[in-house]
Each structure stands twice: as structure tokens, then as C-alpha cells.
């Protein structure tokens, strides 16, 4: 299973990062989850500290 920016888990992590419950560093290293979350954060202009 690969996550996309429209996956529910990606949307949930992005929302939790935006409201300050979690930071990007808290996103688990599960398959491509961090990359998908980073992609969404890049699209909305939120710095996350990972290239």
C-alpha cells in the first residue's frame, strides 16, 4: 500500500500538524507516509524541515 496526498491518514496527519497537536517529526516512518505528508505541507507552504 502506498499513501497519496488524498489518503485519509495523510489528511489526518496534515490536519494534526496544522493545529499543532503534532509536528512533522512525529509522523511515523511507515512506507511513504512521511513523503506524502511532506508533499501536502509543501503544497500549502508549511515548512517541515525534510528535503
Amino acid at each position: 500500500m502506498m499513501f497519496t496526498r488524498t489518503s485519509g491518514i495523510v489528511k489526518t496527519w496534515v490536519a494534526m500538524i496544522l493545529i499543532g497537536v503534532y509536528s512533522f517529526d512525529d509522523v511515523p516512518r511507515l512506507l511513504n507516509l512521511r513523503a506524502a505528508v511532506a508533499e501536502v505541507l509543501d503544497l500549502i507552504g508549511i515548512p517541515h524541515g525534510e528535503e
Side-chain angles (χ1 to χ4, degrees):
M1 173 184 205
M2 297 301 281
F3 300 105
T4 67
R5 62 183 183 211
T6 59
S7 298
I9 191 70
V10 173
K11 292 178 180 181
T12 300
W13 272 106
V14 170
M16 294 296 184
I17 291 168
L18 292 177
I19 63 174
V21 173
Y22 291 107
S23 71
F24 181 78
D25 292 334
D26 297 316
V27 178
R29 296 182 187 280
L30 177 66
L31 300 173
N32 69 322
L33 179 58
R34 287 176 67 91
V37 171
E39 180 183 355
V40 174
L41 293 175
D42 287 342
L43 285 173
I44 59 178
I46 304 296
H48 51 82
E50 188 163 296
E51 296 296 322

